[in-house]
Amino acid sequence: MILNPRRCAGSGGSASGRPAAGARARTLLNVHNTRYAPSGMVCSVDHLASAAGLSMLERGGSAADAAIAANAVLSVVAPHMCGLGGDLFALVHDGGVSALNASGRAGSGADPVRLRAEGHRRMPHLHDVRSVPVPGCVDGWAALHQRHGRLPMADLLAPAIRLADGGFPASPLMVAGALNAARRPGGSDFAGVRAAGDRVTRPGVARALRAVAERGRDGFYLGEFGQGLIGLGAGEYTEADLATPGADWVEPLKTRAYGHDVWSMPPNSQGYLLLMSLAIADGLDLPASPHHPAWAHLLAEAARVAGHDRLDLLHEGAKDLLDRDEIARRRALIDPRSRLRLRTPAEQGDTTYLCAVDGDGMGVSLIQSNASGFGSMVFEPRTGINLHNRGIGFSLKPGHPAEYGPGRRPPHTLTPALITRRDGTLRAVAGTMGGDAQPQILLQVITRLLRHGEQPGPALAAPRWRLGTGGTGFDTWEAPDDAVLDLEEGGSWADGLGALGHRVAALPSGSSFGHAHVIDVRPDGMLAGAADPRSLVGSAIGR
């Protein structure tokens, strides 16, 4: 069944702005540019951020330095996607693969009983500080810099500080949410934003970045920002919550797919969904052409059988999510001739991704997020930093392993990816924004890259599908059999998918289908990268 076109809801890590209108979007997505560079590359959603990262590579910095510098700029110029008030995950290839979890924990005052007594069945989506775990971004920078940095932190943050003080042009995707942000207490930085290119200054963010440059993570968490957060929380957080570093180096997950090892984050990230979907798809008889409806059908079914029980399985302590026998069992459920009825009882971005590779072969796949657009739409009052709402991943069901509670990390949609060859050398770094859809988007991009041999530019510009709900973008798995296949305009799958039993909806091209970026490392060491054209101002640049 083909549904009428409908406006996308936020897909957190989702629709960080309105989808680009038809003709304009089609023009953008026809840009298949793959950039090449011999000794270093940075891809991000904003050209100012990519330029800052590249400048660190040119000064002898590592890929980690470039990633921190680019992310710091994004924390200033892309508050509708990420920032100092959000969380961070990263994968690093430096001979081996390591994983950094810098997602924040709920404060000591987290009280699920109180929320349930107020009538909440799920965590508040907006305007409630209880959905704001302690932001992990700055702790992530500190940990990444300590292990892999070469340049002083002050140098890495200098471009971001200059932009926050002197001003930067509002991006087209910021404008959509800036008016609402400006109406919230603490959101005055965005009061003058009316159109793309308007100058924006963020003096409070500049002060916070200077505090990090001068005093490290304590300058942020125990300084002006931290004290403002404690006051705003009114008991949700203690100074001890903020004094404890919140970033951990953890063991990454990996799976074998398309002749490569694909790596992602362990729980509390949903990275296992990407890896399970790829492992399932690797054993399916995919058509030779991605234009065939069966290609979209089989990949979408792989994503559905991988994720239908995510709400039950994903929590910080989840183990053994990539069991080979279970992957085979789920693969066997897929019917190439029709959509599967799961019959599973259901319980009741924004995000930005960037990647960097340096001349020594270090690769960094970094994803950083507010969750929904400007996040919770709660602003720390002293610095004006908007706070994420990653706490929406918690459950309010008593006894659930992901129940909201003191010191706990919520289930997370953030899903960075890193790919290595059989000999362990770096093949690619990849990631996207997109809320629940992040594994689905990467499943398509990585399949195009590895299975079909596409270059990064065409692989990113190609039309996409996603499992849609018309809701927040974080509710896909509440009723997995009700999900519609949202199809981006320009695709060739609609009629064939309808015949296979899918309900499909045509949507305009745009950021609701993610902002993915890829750097592919060729066997001779040449770098081939691309930034997603849906980001409008994204940039892949190298040296």
Side-chain angles (χ1 to χ4, degrees):
M1 177 186 298
I2 301 176
L3 306 182
N4 290 329
R6 53 183 171 83
R7 179 172 297 202
C8 306
S11 60
S14 69
S16 46
R18 296 187 183 96
R24 184 181 183 191
R26 282 191 293 271
T27 300
L28 284 169
L29 297 185
N30 283 331
V31 178
H32 291 179
N33 289 340
T34 300
R35 306 296 184 186
Y36 301 93
S39 58
M41 181 171 280
V42 181
C43 297
S44 85
V45 74
D46 193 285
H47 63 102
L48 296 172
S50 296
L54 185 65
S55 72
M56 300 306 151
L57 294 181
E58 291 174 335
R59 296 171 59 181
S62 66
D65 290 326
I68 293 168
N71 192 194
V73 168
L74 289 172
S75 76
V76 175
V77 306
H80 54 296
M81 297 181 181
C82 68
L84 298 172
D87 279 349
L88 181 153
F89 289 89
L91 295 166
V92 181
H93 183 278
D94 190 18
V97 179
S98 54
L100 177 64
N101 183 337
S103 62
R105 299 182 181 275
S108 295
D111 186 353
V113 175
R114 183 176 60 177
L115 277 171
R116 288 192 288 264
E118 293 173 8
H120 293 282
R121 297 181 60 205
R122 62 183 66 182
M123 294 296 292
H125 197 79
L126 297 175
H127 310 144
D128 195 315
V129 76
R130 293 171 293 187
S131 289
V132 184
V134 175
C137 174
V138 171
D139 270 333
W141 292 351
L144 187 59
H145 184 256
Q146 181 180 28
R147 181 175 286 197
H148 294 290
R150 297 176 190 160
L151 302 176
M153 181 67 85
D155 291 358
L156 306 184
L157 302 185
I161 293 170
R162 285 196 297 271
L163 289 165
D165 271 335
F168 60 90
S171 76
L173 295 181
M174 180 199 290
V175 175
L179 182 60
N180 286 336
R183 293 170 176 158
R184 300 295 302 171
S188 59
D189 288 352
F190 310 105
V193 178
R194 294 291 181 272
D198 287 348
R199 182 179 293 271
V200 185
T201 59
R202 305 190 68 194
V205 176
R207 293 196 306 273
L209 289 167
R210 284 195 187 91
V212 177
E214 295 167 2
R215 302 192 300 279
R217 60 90 56 200
D218 286 353
F220 181 73
Y221 291 102
L222 302 182
E224 182 181 19
F225 171 83
Q227 293 306 307
L229 184 63
I230 289 173
L232 180 67
E236 185 75 6
Y237 319 100
T238 67
E239 188 163 303
D241 294 333
L242 303 182
T244 303
D248 304 308
W249 290 99
V250 296
E251 189 69 25
L253 296 182
K254 74 172 179 178
T255 197
R256 192 80 182 163
Y258 308 138
H260 293 75
D261 286 326
V262 185
W263 305 75
S264 194
M265 295 296 304
N268 55 321
S269 163
Q270 68 171 352
Y272 84 96
L273 290 184
L274 169 63
L275 303 187
M276 182 180 283
S277 299
L278 283 165
I280 290 170
D282 190 39
L284 298 174
D285 186 18
L286 292 180
S289 171
H291 297 291
H292 197 289
W295 187 87
H297 165 68
L298 291 172
L299 291 187
E301 292 296 272
R304 291 179 67 236
V305 299
H308 70 94
D309 52 359
R310 175 190 182 276
L311 295 184
D312 292 328
L313 295 185
L314 182 57
H315 56 90
E316 185 179 4
K319 305 290 185 186
D320 302 322
L321 295 177
L322 294 175
D323 178 78
R324 289 186 179 183
D325 291 340
E326 180 61 17
I327 289 171
R329 185 191 72 80
R330 295 189 185 217
R331 184 189 297 122
L333 296 174
I334 295 174
D335 185 342
R337 297 163 298 180
S338 66
R339 181 182 188 269
L340 173 68
R341 179 70 178 172
L342 291 167
R343 301 187 185 280
T344 300
E347 297 183 18
Q348 293 293 86
D350 255 282
T351 297
T352 191
Y353 172 79
L354 64 93
C355 48
V357 176
D358 63 29
D360 295 326
M362 180 189 294
V364 176
S365 180
L366 186 151
I367 192 162
Q368 208 256 301
S369 175
N370 292 333
S372 299
F374 279 82
S376 61
M377 280 291 183
V378 177
F379 294 77
E380 188 281 304
R382 302 188 185 190
T383 61
I385 291 172
N386 50 304
L387 303 172
H388 67 161
N389 58 343
R390 278 291 163 190
I392 60 176
F394 283 122
S395 172
L396 284 181
K397 181 180 178 182
H400 191 284
E403 185 183 8
Y404 172 60
R408 293 183 173 181
R409 280 175 164 149
H412 241 283
T413 60
L414 297 185
T415 309
L418 188 149
I419 304 168
T420 55
R421 296 182 173 87
R422 288 183 182 275
D423 62 2
T425 58
L426 180 64
R427 167 63 197 267
V429 282
T432 185
M433 53 88 93
D436 284 348
Q438 287 182 36
Q440 302 157 34
I441 294 165
L442 289 177
L443 172 63
Q444 296 167 76
V445 171
I446 292 173
T447 298
R448 288 178 177 275
L449 190 73
L450 301 184
R451 178 77 174 252
H452 301 287
E454 293 187 7
Q455 291 295 304
L460 293 181
R464 296 173 185 157
W465 55 264
R466 67 171 192 182
L467 297 174
T469 65
T472 65
F474 295 93
D475 53 5
T476 304
W477 305 116
E478 290 182 4
D481 266 330
D482 293 339
V484 174
L485 267 185
D486 290 338
L487 303 182
E488 191 173 25
E489 65 179 334
S492 56
W493 306 314
D495 290 342
L497 288 172
L500 290 165
H502 295 274
R503 293 187 304 144
V504 302
L507 295 181
S509 298
S511 61
S512 59
F513 287 92
H515 295 159
H517 310 305
V518 174
I519 299 176
D520 192 21
V521 184
R522 295 185 166 190
D524 63 359
M526 186 66 70
L527 305 177
D532 200 314
R534 297 163 185 82
S535 66
L536 304 186
V537 292
S539 176
I541 52 178
R543 61 187 293 273

